[in-house]
Amino acid sequence: MDKLDKIFRAYDVRGLYPDEINEEIAYKIGRATARFLKAKEIVVGRDNRLSSDDLFKSLCEGIQDEGIDIIDIGLVISPMLYWATVRYGYRGGIMITASHNPSEYNGFKIVKKGSISVGERSGLGRIKELIKKERFKDKKRGNASKREILREYIKDVLKSINLKNIKPLKVFADYSDGTANQVIPELFKNLPVSLTTSPLEETDLGINFDRDGDRILFIDEKKQNINPDLITALLIHHFFRNAGKILYTVITSRTVKEEIEKNDNIPICSRVGYTFIKEKMEKEKIIFGAESSGHYYFRNNYVLESPLIVLLKILEIISRTKMSLSDLVSQFQRYYQERIAIPVKNTGQTTSIINRLENKYKTAKIYKIDGINIEFSDWWFNLRSSNTEPLMRLTIEADTKELLEEKKKELTKLISAQG
């Protein structure tokens, strides 16, 4: 496997800086992406990793040498780059980030018109081949300009709620050293909410973002982490009564599907991942979608990841009900779940394991939307290949802690068995 094959993943380009991702690669990605997108201009944003500025300069050099203009929106969270692509009608965008990966990593998320993600099957493979061929020719150099989008982005986000519904609250924020540290304080200037970055202070709730700010996790007033599936169920319960189709993924807790149906909505199951979710939501006119990793999508926000809208809605629920966050989510805590990462050598090994499990549990309900789901009345599991790492990901959920432990031992023994 050469370096390009290693850094080009299912959804994005990602690797260690500078061994795998560096200025030379960034320049070539800029040229190849500009050629692939065939856009007059490409909007470019970046997170605040130490390597992001240098990669930005080289990426833009490549885009401009291909004769394409660049629109620099500066340090942003990924949802802002996606939003700008749609909001201003750009035909392409590139976010320089390695998402939740440690600071020694960096990479590129690429979108085309409508902020449709460019994945392995929808363009990344073609971009990689263009780089390998290196048949770049001199062209009239493109221009560069800057655009400030934060205030307009915040203004658009605030349309999702009635500000009068938000009561004075105190929020702890952990930005994971990422670019959300510029966005959340700007958002809270419009709210009667005080903000702290000290985990020692008493607060009504806490929020945690990853490095590029597309994922939001919640912490209750007791400093306990909340399963994102419970936040999804809470949102459905308060905002989506008889609303239409709602999307969940193959690894989502049963409580979410139950809440979708209880509120007279139509549940739609999807593969895990932004590319698959956005495509399915657009095609089937789905009103709301969520992933168990803390990613949320609203149809009325261009089917983009919308962490700030989710935050505002949770603040509104707490304000209206006058209940603590721990009490609000406790009503949805019906099951026990665990996720396990299992290293694998190759796809052949994954196929063999899935076949073994399918044969073992052939009397159960089985479906293969993403890997394999096997369901019984009191427990279920999903086993699927990771889209970003050489791993299989096992999710198990059961009605009791005891059953969860029993089935976890049973499955790990089956998966590790030879032959």
Side-chain angles (χ1 to χ4, degrees), residues 203-217:
T203 57
D204 295 289
L205 72 154
I207 49 177
N208 174 257
F209 291 88
D210 59 350
R211 289 292 295 261
D212 69 326
D214 60 359
R215 179 174 63 188
I216 183 170
L217 302 175

Side-chain angles (χ1 to χ4, degrees), residues 161-219:
I161 61 159
N162 184 341
L163 292 177
K164 294 179 181 179
N165 290 336
I166 306 295
K167 306 301 181 185
L169 295 169
K170 189 170 186 178
V171 177
F172 159 71
D174 179 353
Y175 305 117
S176 302
D177 296 323
T179 42
N181 66 356
Q182 301 179 61
V183 181
I184 296 304
E186 190 68 26
L187 174 69
F188 279 17
K189 287 178 183 178
N190 301 274
L191 305 172
V193 176
S194 59
L195 186 63
T196 180
T197 55
S198 169
L200 301 178
E201 293 186 38
E202 289 189 11
T203 57
D204 295 289
L205 72 154
I207 49 177
N208 174 257
F209 291 88
D210 59 350
R211 289 292 295 261
D212 69 326
D214 60 359
R215 179 174 63 188
I216 183 170
L217 302 175
F218 287 86
I219 304 159

Side-chain angles (χ1 to χ4, degrees), residues 54-121:
D54 289 338
L55 291 175
F56 167 80
K57 292 172 186 175
S58 297
L59 177 81
C60 291
E61 285 289 322
I63 295 171
Q64 290 175 266
D65 282 352
E66 198 62 27
I68 305 302
D69 297 343
I70 67 114
I71 311 297
D72 173 15
I73 58 172
L75 293 172
V76 294
I77 59 175
S78 287
M80 289 173 65
L81 181 281
Y82 305 147
W83 175 86
T85 306
V86 182
R87 180 71 172 78
Y88 304 123
Y90 298 125
R91 295 183 63 86
I94 304 175
M95 179 69 187
I96 301 170
T97 183
S99 191
H100 59 275
N101 281 50
S103 57
E104 59 267 28
Y105 285 80
N106 216 325
F108 307 91
K109 293 181 177 180
I110 303 169
V111 295
K112 51 189 175 182
K113 183 180 179 181
S115 198
I116 303 296
S117 179
V118 177
E120 183 178 21
R121 297 181 182 178

Side-chain angles (χ1 to χ4, degrees), residues 122-168:
S122 57
L124 278 184
R126 175 60 179 155
I127 291 169
K128 182 171 66 173
E129 288 306 311
L130 288 171
I131 293 171
K132 286 182 176 181
K133 291 177 181 177
E134 290 198 54
R135 294 175 183 170
F136 303 121
K137 298 179 181 178
D138 291 336
K139 295 185 178 182
K140 182 180 177 181
R141 186 170 168 79
N143 298 314
S145 60
K146 293 186 177 184
R147 184 162 197 167
E148 209 312 302
I149 70 166
L150 179 57
R151 289 182 182 178
E152 193 165 353
Y153 177 69
I154 295 294
K155 183 179 178 181
D156 215 27
V157 165
L158 288 168
K159 293 177 184 176
S160 63
I161 61 159
N162 184 341
L163 292 177
K164 294 179 181 179
N165 290 336
I166 306 295
K167 306 301 181 185

